[in-house]
Amino acid sequence: MTTHLKGLLMTVFAVIILSPDSVLIRLVEDASPEVDSWTVLFWRGLLYAVGVSLLVFIKYRSKTIKEFQNIGKGGLLIGFFSGISTGTFVFAIVYTSIANALVIISTGPIMIAIVSWFLLKEKSSLITWASMIIVFIGIYIVMSGNFGGDKLVGDLFALATAVMMGFTFTLTRKYKTINMVPVNAIGGVIAAFIAFIMANKIAVPIEVFKYVLAMGAILSISFSLITIAPRYMPAAEVGMIMPLETVLGTLIAWYVINEEPTANALIGGSIVIAVSYTHLRAHETKANLVCRLLLE
């Protein structure tokens, strides 16, 4: 298996795990309306930090503290962007529809490509650029049915999440020789700290804590994998796979909480899936061809 293909599989698996995340936020809101968004963000960030720290400890044991120290100033900056995006994502899901939020966040690949070009002078392949343009068309189709109105605040939070993703992925790629998994714990701590200051109360009913606990586990595993993936492939390509969460998350919301997507969401989502799959197949075929040539 080539390193590029390893990065692709790692990212796809991470996105599949991440897909129920938005529904869990909505389930907390529906099960206990008195729990405000800041309280959810506090527990989400705290458990995220604990989960990532536990994963780092399991792998590095006595070297855990050193792994956190190795991230340096660059890692702290990534942790800052990660923490902000953790918060903006929660508010996006709360203030707008899940489909709408996920679709806007799917513009992340475009943000990543722009930031990567600006910071790293990294050129994406023609296939990646063409795929992103078509994905953007699919995203526009979905947004055209929902964007604006009373959901504008949530839409803006979703857009902020996409921007933060651009910086997070690109900076992770810049420091690809350093293990940046610990920065996710830093991001969780930052999110929890801000939420602790803003929240009216911290306690949550026992019946919704299972949802919050699941969020922490999902974030810990998925974002640890997503953080590692740019070490094996360009940041823009990692971001290219992320729109799959838009479709999977929307379908899960439809099935679990009966939040039915619009016709625009279905059409646009189909475009995203088709292009993402074609993009993955193109790179897999290229990787296999290179392997055959080397063996011959």
Side-chain angles (χ1 to χ4, degrees):
M1 181 186 296
T2 64
T3 56
H4 187 275
L5 183 57
K6 183 177 181 180
L8 287 176
L9 295 176
M10 195 177 294
T11 307
V12 170
F13 183 64
V15 170
I16 292 174
I17 296 175
L18 186 61
S19 297
D21 184 41
S22 54
V23 173
L24 290 171
I25 296 175
R26 192 61 59 77
L27 286 173
V28 171
E29 180 185 7
D30 294 341
S32 186
E34 70 274 11
V35 177
D36 66 14
S37 303
W38 290 111
T39 303
V40 174
L41 179 58
F42 170 79
W43 285 106
R44 178 184 173 88
L46 180 62
L47 293 174
Y48 181 22
V50 171
V52 172
S53 298
L54 181 60
L55 290 176
V56 174
F57 175 75
I58 291 174
K59 182 172 179 60
Y60 296 100
R61 299 291 180 173
S62 61
K63 297 181 180 179
T64 297
I65 295 179
K66 186 175 182 180
E67 288 298 315
F68 274 88
Q69 293 174 336
N70 288 341
I71 66 175
K73 294 181 179 179
L76 292 177
L77 185 59
I78 296 172
F80 170 78
F81 287 122
S82 175
I84 298 301
S85 67
T86 299
T88 54
F89 178 78
V90 169
F91 286 99
I93 297 299
V94 169
Y95 288 107
T96 191
S97 68
I98 289 177
N100 211 33
L102 294 181
V103 162
I104 297 173
I105 292 171
S106 292
T107 59
I110 297 175
M111 301 297 179
I112 293 169
I114 294 173
V115 177
S116 295
W117 171 79
F118 180 73
L119 291 181
L120 308 182
K121 309 302 180 183
E122 185 177 89
K123 296 181 180 180
S124 297
S125 67
L126 181 60
I127 293 176
T128 298
W129 278 107
S131 298
M132 284 194 292
I133 291 173
I134 299 174
V135 165
F136 182 78
I137 293 173
I139 290 170
Y140 175 79
I141 292 173
V142 179
M143 290 176 63
S144 64
N146 295 323
F147 189 80
D150 296 334
K151 299 178 180 179
L152 180 59
V153 173
D155 293 340
L156 292 175
F157 274 120
L159 183 60
T161 303
V163 173
M164 294 300 104
M165 281 177 56
F167 282 97
T168 299
F169 278 90
T170 303
L171 288 172
T172 300
R173 177 67 176 176
K174 179 179 180 180
Y175 299 102
K176 62 181 179 180
T177 58
I178 302 174
N179 175 25
M180 285 297 178
V181 171
V183 305
N184 294 298
I186 303 298
V189 170
I190 291 174
F193 177 74
I194 295 174
F196 179 77
I197 295 174
M198 301 299 297
N200 293 325
K201 63 177 183 178
I202 298 302
V204 295
I206 190 65
E207 62 268 17
V208 303
F209 190 75
K210 59 183 179 182
Y211 299 132
V212 180
L213 188 62
M215 288 182 208
I218 286 174
L219 292 177
S220 301
I221 297 172
S222 62
F223 277 104
S224 292
L225 292 173
I226 291 171
T227 301
I228 297 172
R231 298 170 64 181
Y232 302 102
M233 57 191 290
E237 291 183 25
V238 174
M240 182 65 220
I241 304 173
M242 295 302 291
L244 285 175
E245 185 196 359
T246 302
V247 180
L248 296 176
T250 300
L251 291 176
I252 292 173
W254 189 1
Y255 179 78
V256 176
I257 60 177
N258 296 318
E259 188 171 296
E260 184 175 351
T262 63
N264 293 55
L266 294 175
I267 295 172
S270 298
I271 293 175
V272 171
I273 283 184
V275 175
S276 296
Y277 176 77
T278 302
H279 179 264
L280 287 172
R281 289 290 296 173
H283 280 285
E284 181 181 10
T285 301
K286 183 178 179 181
N288 291 337
L289 178 60
V290 171
C291 288
R292 286 199 300 270
L293 291 175
L294 290 175
L295 290 174
E296 294 174 356

